[in-house]
Amino acid sequence: MRKHAVMPTLLRTEATARARLLDVHSYRVDLDLTRGDRTFRSTAVIRFGCAEPGALSFVEVEPEALLRAELNGRPLDPATLVEGGRLPLPGLAAENELLVEADMAYSRTGEGLHRFTDPADGAAYVYASCGPDLAPKVFACFDQPDLKAPFTFTVTAPEDWTVIGNGAAGRLTDGRWEISPVGPISPYLVTVVGGPLHAVRTEHDGIPLGLYARRSLAAELEREAEELLEVTRASFDRLHELFTERYPFGGYDQVFVPEFNWGAMENPGCVVLRDELLFRSEPTDAQRMMRAMVVCHEMAHMWFGNLVTLAWWDDVWLNESFAEMLGHRVAAEATEYTGAWTLFASRRKGWGYDADQRPSTHPIAAAGADSAAEALASFDGISYAKGAAALRQLVHWLGDERFFAGINDYFAEHRWGNARLDDFLSALTSADGPDVPGWADQWLRTTGVDTLRIDVEAQDGVLVGATLVNEGSRPHRVRIGVYERQGEALVVRQQLDAEVGPGARTPLPELAGTARPALLLPNDGDLSWARIRLDEHSAATVAVSLSAVPDELARAVLWENARDRARSAELPADDYLRLVAAHLPAESTDSIVEGVLTFAVDHVVARYLAPAERPAALVLIGDTARLLLARPDASRGLRTASLRTVIATATGDEQLAELNGWLAGRDLPPGVAFDADQRWTALARLAAAGLADEERIAAELAADPTNTGEQGAARALAALPDDAAKERAWERLFTPGLLSNRQLVATAEGFWRSGSPATQQAYVQRYFEQVPSAGERGGAIAKGMGLALFPVGAADAATIRAGEECLARTDLAHHLRRFLADSLDDLRRAAAHRS
């Protein structure tokens, strides 16, 4: 039978009842990947017990065609497969064997078994993306995190393929591959990867290590392998120091896959990462640091999330928060990337701060979600960045010894099983220790961002008094930086540790009677989750001396303060840009440079300023980037970040002609590579200006016949300003199944870069009329259409009204509604600048 439409979401009550009823012993899954490029054959045999013989339950499977289903040898009627993929299981015995055989559709959106044909050489690759609730697109299963079992896979694949998965993989005598069981693990953690993979293999501390990528990226994998393995080894060593439980899953493979929707996924023993992390073009130091953090993050999941798995989706935030916190910490402590916490402050926390100030904000522990869809819609910057910052604050409060003793008790008690937030908190609680459950109530079960400031009373250049003020609902343990001038530099005179309760004021008697400092910085060291607001004297110092602050993490905190004030329209857009022009040319940390330039271009210029003001602002940002690019002491990473912005802000005949020259190989900027990524960015800029046509884009694609080339071409084609090109791009975006997930996002990113005001306004209206249909195309497409295609530059009352009317519809898919609501909040913030 044909599959039905969208799978209904699993209700928490259903999951609780099924977990109480069933005990899953094992899965044996056979995949036949030789049946063409549209479907594959999936046969699952599940052995499980039932606590109430005679009861009714169900299994999830989302087939193209359900061919056969047998329960304890008794055929089940395929016609009983209800809409959305639930197959009823009537009359269960105490012990059961279920067989489900189906033809399943390959995915092109990174959801399920994704199939990709490499345009570089025509080779095909597949990988299973089962998380968070996509496993039924690959095999029949009981798809909830607290029904864990060992999985054994056999895979029939083309002769030249290598197949790997969670366990050790080997080729059988009949040519099939078998992947040994590990676990028990949850269905969402299962993966299988296949294709003519290039491999680099080694071993560390008794653990087999593997790195894999598609054949056309063999050179990139070989080039990056030693650094990747160095980070992997260092991360294992540090985690084995912190945890008493050794790595529990045998070998450890890291596989770089195309068109992945996330940065990486923590499948036990077989982590998949987006293959952009192999860096076809020259990366910045911040990109390498982020990759190291991702490697450390995913490895932390092997314990927190895989060995011990949270019982229901609304607790899975804890997996991500823990791994995010440890990923940055391990990278900073055990690898060459000692500035990982600066990266967190300058790039990751803003994601969480923004989410926490939207109408869609939610507690870190978003407990009480009635369905999987509701819980997973809250998987965002709060789950990652805010949760990680909260756990970092908890470690700062408890101390390392107490925190990791509790974590190791938690692993020992719940190993191979499931746990809940209360189990985690209980493990950290002791009779003689702090009130961890009380801390959790204030930190994990509340919403919003607290604001910390220092009230200052001064007379004749001397502090009469200073008080740390908490305008919020949580306690904070922070460090206060006291900076004074020494010539043109700002130096740390003193650092104070202080605690402040919810809505409280904490006097700082150490400062009374001292010379008024040039800068008082609340949350110096970025140890808590809070907005800061500076006293008037400190704010004036920062305006003229931000680049003179010696510590990069302190500068990151101050730049985040400026970003947050601009986003809240407290700091006018022009003032933010003047701060950038004044201080960024002296910045030496490229994670800060990248974060500031990205926000300046993509938000301040493209959203907060009216269209008529944008050209002058682009010149200002471009000139700032050129100053960075010309600095004789600039690192290659800093030059790379600067060149990207020079290209992205190119405006006017002279600068656009310069881009044309660079594409032709003339007068290239020294000390930096003008490679594939830079070329495609330049070509999209020229296309938007009407200076590159379809023929030129096709020629560039012929010279770069890769998937990144395809995405670059899609972005450039959508950026063409003529009406016919806009209509073609629009039709591609709204034709289901035509574009892969990444091609759709690239097209959406290019679309609004050009077009007359009248043309753009017409498409704004069409957007809100047509975008509800994107909710039927899965979460990845809904995200691309709800975020990347949202008309963020049209910050006017009419667009806001149209967005509000769209959100008032009752037929929006849950995930699409969330993306649209967040984009509309950003649009209102942009409109506040315009007014």
Side-chain angles (χ1 to χ4, degrees):
M1 62 175 290
R2 295 286 297 175
K3 68 176 182 178
H4 293 281
V6 180
M7 177 178 277
T9 185
L10 180 67
L11 299 179
R12 185 173 195 152
T13 52
E14 295 173 319
T16 301
R18 191 164 62 174
R20 191 163 46 238
L21 185 68
L22 304 185
D23 177 20
V24 186
H25 305 321
S26 68
Y27 286 83
R28 187 167 189 93
V29 180
D30 183 84
L31 301 178
D32 184 349
L33 308 181
T34 62
R35 307 178 69 84
D37 60 3
R38 198 177 71 82
T39 64
F40 61 97
R41 179 69 51 83
S42 172
T43 305
V45 176
I46 313 173
R47 293 182 173 86
F48 61 99
C50 176
E52 300 174 13
L56 168 71
S57 189
F58 62 92
V59 70
E60 289 102 333
V61 60
E62 192 172 354
E64 185 78 3
L66 180 58
L67 305 175
R68 180 166 59 117
E70 296 178 358
L71 177 62
N72 300 324
R74 182 177 78 249
L76 300 175
D77 184 357
T80 63
L81 180 69
V82 299
E83 183 173 353
R86 293 186 179 189
L87 181 65
L89 304 177
L92 293 174
E95 293 295 331
N96 302 273
E97 180 175 288
L98 173 67
L99 180 148
V100 179
E101 182 179 13
D103 283 338
M104 314 288 276
Y106 285 114
S107 169
R108 293 194 70 214
T109 63
E111 299 163 309
L113 193 63
H114 186 84
R115 184 179 176 94
F116 170 82
T117 300
D118 192 342
D121 60 8
Y125 297 85
V126 300
Y127 63 88
S129 183
C130 292
D133 61 345
L134 302 168
K137 295 179 180 291
V138 184
F139 54 89
C141 62
F142 301 112
D143 191 25
Q144 57 191 75
D146 58 346
L147 287 177
K148 301 172 76 170
F151 287 78
T152 302
F153 275 78
T154 55
V155 181
T156 303
E159 183 64 29
D160 63 336
W161 279 25
T162 297
V163 176
I164 56 176
N166 300 95
R171 195 186 291 269
L172 302 174
T173 56
D174 61 2
R176 294 183 303 156
W177 291 78
E178 182 170 82
I179 301 170
S180 301
V182 298
I185 60 176
S186 304
Y188 83 94
L189 294 169
V190 170
T191 195
V192 172
V193 184
L197 297 165
H198 183 74
V200 174
R201 300 184 183 91
T202 186
E203 176 271 341
H204 176 67
D205 194 19
I207 303 168
L209 304 179
L211 300 174
Y212 296 85
R214 52 196 160 102
R215 187 170 57 197
S216 65
L217 292 178
E220 286 82 357
L221 183 65
E222 292 286 346
R223 184 192 66 221
E224 300 293 327
E226 184 47 44
E227 180 176 324
L228 287 162
L229 291 169
E230 182 180 343
V231 171
T232 300
R233 291 188 290 260
S235 185
F236 264 126
D237 291 346
R238 184 62 180 130
L239 291 175
H240 281 152
E241 291 172 354
L242 295 173
F243 302 151
T244 54
E245 176 87 26
R246 272 187 61 83
Y247 172 67
F249 293 105
Y252 193 76
D253 292 331
Q254 295 173 91
V255 193
F256 294 86
V257 300
E259 299 187 322
F260 195 54
N261 286 318
W262 305 84
M265 178 63 194
E266 67 269 18
N267 312 301
C270 189
V271 173
V272 295
L273 307 95
R274 62 192 310 163
D275 62 14
E276 289 91 341
L277 292 176
L278 286 179
F279 304 137
R280 286 186 64 235
S281 294
E282 184 163 346
T284 63
D285 296 339
Q287 286 177 291
R288 290 194 176 278
M289 189 182 302
M290 178 63 79
R291 182 177 70 181
M293 187 282 294
V294 169
V295 169
C296 299
H297 172 122
E298 303 307 326
M299 192 181 292
H301 274 305
M302 298 300 130
W303 287 263
F304 212 103
N306 297 357
L307 177 66
V308 181
T309 309
L310 279 301
W312 178 242
W313 293 115
D314 60 6
D315 269 346
V316 173
W317 69 268
L318 189 53
N319 293 352
E320 297 304 339
S321 298
F322 186 87
E324 184 85 350
M325 184 270 288
L326 265 192
H328 285 89
R329 174 170 172 161
V330 170
E333 293 178 350
T335 78
E336 65 178 286
Y337 297 109
T338 55
W341 285 119
T342 301
L343 181 75
F344 183 64
S346 61
R347 301 304 303 270
R348 299 290 277 183
K349 285 187 81 173
W351 176 33
Y353 282 138
D354 293 355
D356 209 17
Q357 296 177 71
R358 290 189 173 117
S360 59
T361 186
H362 55 85
I364 298 173
D370 293 330
S371 68
E374 183 181 345
L376 296 170
S378 297
F379 223 51
D380 54 20
I382 295 171
S383 311
Y384 286 78
K386 182 180 181 180
L391 291 180
R392 190 183 187 204
Q393 173 73 183
L394 179 60
V395 175
H396 186 55
W397 188 51
L398 291 177
D400 265 16
E401 184 176 352
R402 191 184 295 272
F403 179 81
F404 284 104
I407 291 299
N408 284 311
D409 289 344
Y410 174 82
F411 292 152
E413 182 173 354
H414 302 286
R415 65 190 309 271
W416 299 120
N418 294 88
R420 292 173 172 79
L421 174 59
D422 287 345
D423 298 314
F424 171 74
L425 299 175
S426 177
L428 298 174
T429 301
S430 58
D432 62 340
D435 178 15
V436 175
W439 176 90
D441 286 341
Q442 292 174 305
W443 270 90
L444 306 182
R445 298 187 173 101
T446 58
T447 62
V449 187
D450 294 352
T451 300
L452 301 180
R453 59 182 174 84
I454 299 175
D455 280 353
V456 175
E457 184 180 355
Q459 187 172 355
D460 299 327
V462 176
L463 286 178
V464 177
T467 304
L468 177 63
V469 180
N470 178 6
E471 298 174 351
S473 61
R474 305 180 188 96
H476 296 267
R477 176 175 288 184
V478 296
R479 183 180 304 146
I480 296 169
V482 184
Y483 293 80
E484 65 183 9
R485 291 191 183 278
Q486 261 188 19
E488 296 184 0
L490 288 175
V491 298
V492 178
R493 185 176 85 193
Q494 191 177 2
Q495 287 183 318
L496 307 176
D497 290 327
E499 295 187 37
V500 62
R505 301 170 61 89
T506 297
L508 304 171
E510 303 94 328
L511 296 179
T514 65
R516 180 167 191 164
L519 168 64
L520 282 171
L521 178 57
N523 200 25
D524 199 7
D526 202 34
L527 295 172
S528 196
W529 177 262
R531 295 166 23 140
I532 62 168
R533 291 298 182 263
L534 302 176
D535 66 271
E536 185 176 350
H537 183 75
S538 295
T541 297
V542 169
V544 297
S545 302
L546 193 161
S547 53
V549 175
D551 180 68
E552 68 174 39
L553 184 51
R555 294 196 304 275
V557 170
L558 289 168
W559 277 113
E560 171 53 36
N561 168 248
R563 189 199 72 88
D564 177 70
R565 289 169 57 227
R567 187 173 176 275
S568 302
E570 296 174 34
L571 181 67
D574 288 345
D575 288 353
Y576 182 87
L577 295 178
R578 278 193 286 270
L579 193 71
V580 172
H583 296 292
L584 206 65
E587 181 56 58
S588 58
T589 302
D590 66 7
S591 61
I592 294 176
V593 168
E594 282 190 317
V596 171
L597 289 176
T598 298
F599 179 71
V601 174
D602 293 349
H603 291 263
V604 179
V605 176
R607 305 183 187 202
Y608 300 166
L609 295 180
E613 300 172 304
R614 291 171 188 167
L618 287 175
V619 170
L620 179 70
I621 297 302
D623 288 348
T624 301
R626 287 173 185 272
L627 289 173
L628 279 159
L629 186 62
R631 264 177 47 187
D633 64 336
S635 66
R636 285 187 69 88
L638 199 62
R639 292 178 190 275
T640 298
S642 304
L643 180 59
R644 289 173 184 167
T645 301
V646 168
I647 296 169
T649 58
T651 188
D653 294 343
E654 183 178 344
Q655 292 184 0
L656 293 172
E658 182 179 49
L659 293 191
N660 260 321
W662 290 348
L663 283 166
R666 298 191 304 270
D667 301 322
L668 292 170
V672 64
F674 188 74
D675 47 26
D677 287 351
Q678 312 280 31
R679 292 185 65 85
W680 282 114
T681 302
L683 192 58
R685 190 74 183 150
L686 291 171
L691 298 176
D693 58 15
E694 291 187 24
E695 183 178 352
R696 185 170 181 186
I697 295 168
E700 189 73 23
L701 181 59
D704 181 23
T706 65
N707 64 317
T708 52
E710 285 186 337
Q711 292 165 31
R715 191 176 293 109
L717 287 168
L720 291 169
D722 62 280
D723 290 346
K726 289 299 177 203
E727 187 60 30
R728 284 193 296 272
W730 193 263
E731 289 302 316
R732 289 195 294 268
L733 287 163
F734 283 93
T735 301
L738 182 62
L739 300 176
S740 73
N741 50 335
R742 303 300 286 278
Q743 291 166 348
L744 180 139
V745 168
T747 303
E749 289 171 344
F751 187 82
W752 298 108
R753 296 187 183 188
S754 66
S756 69
T759 297
Q760 289 211 351
Q761 188 55 47
Y763 279 110
V764 167
Q765 182 176 346
R766 289 176 65 179
Y767 174 82
F768 290 111
E769 292 170 353
Q770 293 180 246
V771 76
S773 64
E776 303 171 2
R777 296 164 62 185
I781 299 302
K783 184 176 182 180
M785 301 291 269
L787 297 182
L789 190 62
F790 194 94
V792 293
D796 53 57
T799 306
I800 292 172
R801 279 196 305 273
E804 290 170 342
E805 290 169 2
C806 183
L807 277 176
R809 295 177 57 141
T810 59
D811 59 346
L812 291 179
H814 198 95
H815 44 216
L816 179 62
R817 180 178 298 279
R818 170 65 192 275
F819 297 135
L820 292 174
D822 288 351
S823 293
L824 184 59
D825 179 61
D826 286 346
L827 194 69
R828 291 192 183 102
R829 291 174 180 275
H833 277 277
R834 306 278 186 92
S835 63

